[in-house]
Amino acid sequence: MDTLLLNGNDVRKLLGMDECIRAVEEAFRLRALGQTDAPGILGIHAKEGGFHIKAGILNLGRSYFAAKTNANFPKNPMKNGLPTIQGVMVVSDAHDGRLLALMDSIEITIIRTGAATAVAAKHLANPDAKTVTIIGCGNQGRISLRALKSVRNIQKAFVFDLDQRVTENFATAMREELNIAVEPVDDFKNALAVSDICVTCTPSKQPFIKRDHIRPGTFVAAVGSDNAEKQELDPALLIGNKLVADSLAQASTIGELHHALKANVVRIQDVHAELGEVIAGLKQGRTSKDDIIIFDSTGTALQDVAAAAIVYEKAINASVSTFAFSQ
């Protein structure tokens, strides 16, 4: 049987945002209902960045195993022109172990992370949310705004990045693509004061969102913290507000929750829910228009499996492959 080899362009063409949102939502639901095992993760630090391996299994009619090895080197774009994230996804049949595909993981990581933000916003943001602040104007910021547009009637976006040129380019491109008002700002605090949703997707290792920056009713998706060194939120923001994790196990070791636990300002039992529990109806999400809800998005392997399965099945059906080799 041939094993597919799919590059980034293949993945980009095959993986649509709306279908990825549905698949990621279902993956969270299945996990909450105990219909799939917990995913695994291994992180290794390097001098200028780090590596992580995430693996999981999902039964989607066919049982799929996927393992992703990603390198994350934030200085790459400025230093050598390479992407921040680089990696590969191994996809196998979880029934008999057959290797089905090797695929570039960059696009899968970006799209499935945006999809998770959209799923969380669908269940946790106020239904009438119209204004969003995006902090971090890289690829993840772009996909986050596209994804949010799929689940909420976003009419205006404020965008901020430490690099003003990047901010301006982001605003111009997304304004044209989405046909909404996109305003570059040099002070995200003023933007947050009038925003319904905030998405942070930076490589920051120092918290920059403070408790008094966030107004009542805001949904915050903290996307950047995917290892124990990264942090975007002041732990005080988590005190007394609803924290929803993509994975409690991961959030407690590498997410914003990790830093709040380390600072002794919250306990594990203070976490409101995992996202899958809200999706499955096991726990309530928003109960008040004024709830401040934080989504601790560390990125799980189940999201990867869900997205990779779409890519593989569509590639098989369309006979798409950069290369195929026989086992």
Side-chain angles (χ1 to χ4, degrees):
M1 179 180 178
D2 284 343
T3 297
L4 301 186
L5 183 62
L6 303 168
N7 64 26
N9 286 331
D10 296 326
V11 174
R12 193 179 303 112
K13 292 174 184 176
L14 293 167
L15 185 58
M17 176 52 71
D18 288 344
E19 62 186 347
C20 192
I21 289 172
R22 291 191 296 270
V24 166
E25 183 176 43
E26 178 63 4
F28 280 126
R29 189 186 73 85
L30 290 173
R31 176 62 193 139
L33 294 176
Q35 296 180 19
T36 186
D37 290 335
I41 181 172
L42 172 66
I44 303 292
H45 291 292
K47 185 176 179 180
E48 296 288 339
F51 299 86
H52 66 245
I53 300 171
K54 294 180 177 179
I57 291 176
L58 274 178
N59 192 332
L60 305 169
R62 180 177 191 170
S63 189
Y64 287 98
F65 166 84
K68 179 180 73 177
T69 300
N70 260 14
N72 191 318
F73 285 71
K75 295 180 181 178
N76 272 359
M78 296 293 293
K79 185 178 178 181
N80 52 30
L82 292 173
T84 297
I85 296 173
Q86 302 170 86
V88 66
M89 182 91 68
V90 175
V91 183
S92 297
D93 188 313
H95 177 68
D96 58 19
R98 281 179 295 165
L99 180 61
L100 302 176
L102 299 175
M103 56 184 73
D104 184 284
S105 70
I106 298 175
E107 290 299 320
I108 283 182
T109 300
I110 292 169
I111 296 170
R112 64 78 152 150
T113 304
T117 297
V119 171
K122 174 183 173 181
H123 291 274
L124 302 173
N126 272 308
D128 60 353
K130 295 181 176 63
T131 304
V132 59
T133 292
I134 304 287
I135 301 176
C137 294
N139 288 328
Q140 201 59 62
R142 291 182 184 234
I143 206 71
S144 296
L145 186 52
R146 291 186 190 115
L148 287 171
K149 191 80 163 49
S150 295
V151 298
R152 285 293 181 267
N153 182 27
I154 302 300
Q155 297 181 1
K156 184 164 188 177
F158 298 103
V159 295
F160 173 86
D161 194 279
L162 292 177
D163 188 329
Q164 187 64 27
R165 178 186 57 82
V166 170
T167 308
E168 296 284 351
N169 291 341
F170 180 104
T172 300
M174 298 308 288
R175 191 183 299 125
E176 294 176 358
E177 177 185 330
L178 299 179
N179 195 29
I180 62 172
V182 183
E183 180 180 333
V185 297
D186 55 15
D187 184 351
F188 63 79
K189 295 184 290 294
N190 291 336
L192 290 175
V194 293
S195 292
D196 307 306
I197 295 173
C198 168
V199 180
T200 58
C201 39
T202 76
S204 178
K205 294 183 179 180
Q206 294 293 328
F208 53 85
I209 300 292
K210 309 295 184 182
R211 187 179 179 90
D212 60 0
H213 295 164
I214 302 299
R215 67 172 184 166
T218 303
F219 165 69
V220 180
V223 177
S225 294
D226 59 1
N227 71 49
E229 293 186 350
K230 293 183 181 179
Q231 185 179 12
E232 298 177 309
L233 309 184
D234 186 330
L237 178 57
L238 278 60
I239 301 172
N241 291 319
K242 287 183 176 178
L243 178 64
V244 176
D246 56 0
S247 162
L248 183 57
Q250 287 187 194
S252 63
T253 56
I254 63 173
E256 297 296 339
L257 174 61
H258 158 72
H259 297 288
L261 291 170
K262 190 174 179 180
N264 292 315
V265 297
V266 301
R267 304 164 299 168
I268 285 286
Q269 53 265 43
D270 295 325
V271 176
H272 179 69
E274 287 191 335
L275 179 57
E277 294 176 308
V278 177
I279 294 168
L282 302 177
K283 292 186 179 179
Q284 286 187 300
R286 178 173 294 276
T287 56
S288 166
K289 189 174 180 65
D290 290 333
D291 283 343
I292 292 175
I293 304 182
I294 298 110
F295 175 50
D296 199 350
S297 177
T298 59
T300 78
L302 297 184
Q303 296 165 235
D304 294 321
V305 184
I310 292 173
V311 173
Y312 174 73
E313 291 178 0
K314 290 177 74 173
I316 289 294
N317 291 335
S319 299
V320 174
S321 178
T322 303
F323 178 72
F325 61 92
S326 299
Q327 297 185 57

